[in-house]
Amino acid sequence: MKLHLVRLAKRLGEARFPGIEGFRSYLLTQPEQVDEARMYVLLEGEVVIDLPDKSYLHMRKGEAAHLEEPHLISPVDPSVIAVWKLR
C-alpha cells in the first residue's frame, strides 16, 4: 500500500496505515503535551520539542527523534510529522 503522508495529513488532518498500530502522520498546528515514549520523523515544517531538563530539540524537515520522557512538541509553523508510539 502506498500513501502520500504529507498530502493526506494536510487534507484530512492525519494519515494511518491500516493494520499498523501506533503509527500515524498528522498536521501539527499547535503545541501538544506528550507523556509517552515516541519516535518522530518530521516530514514538513519545523518543530521545537521542550524536554523536562529544560533543554530542547529543534527539528527540521527530514530529521528524527526518539524520546522516552514526557515532552512538549510545538510547531514553528504548521508541520507534518510521522509518529510511532513506542509502548
Side-chain angles (χ1 to χ4, degrees):
M1 171 178 280
K2 177 182 173 181
L3 296 176
H4 194 288
L5 297 175
V6 173
R7 190 176 329 152
L8 286 170
K10 283 180 159 182
R11 186 163 36 123
L12 303 175
E14 77 172 6
R16 294 178 185 263
F17 278 100
I20 302 201
E21 294 295 320
F23 171 83
R24 72 181 180 133
S25 70
Y26 68 101
L27 183 61
L28 182 67
T29 59
Q30 56 189 349
E32 178 180 308
Q33 182 64 47
V34 178
D35 296 320
E36 61 191 2
R38 288 188 177 178
M39 182 178 153
Y40 297 106
V41 176
L42 192 60
L43 301 176
E44 183 174 280
E46 189 173 352
V47 300
V48 174
I49 302 174
D50 293 308
L51 303 170
D53 66 0
K54 306 296 184 205
S55 64
Y56 68 93
L57 300 174
H58 185 177
M59 292 178 61
R60 292 177 178 87
K61 181 180 177 179
E63 295 181 330
H66 172 240
L67 300 169
E68 294 284 334
E69 65 273 350
H71 53 279
L72 176 69
I73 184 166
S74 303
V76 173
D77 50 18
S79 301
V80 177
I81 193 160
V83 179
W84 288 265
K85 290 184 181 181
L86 300 175
R87 293 188 177 105

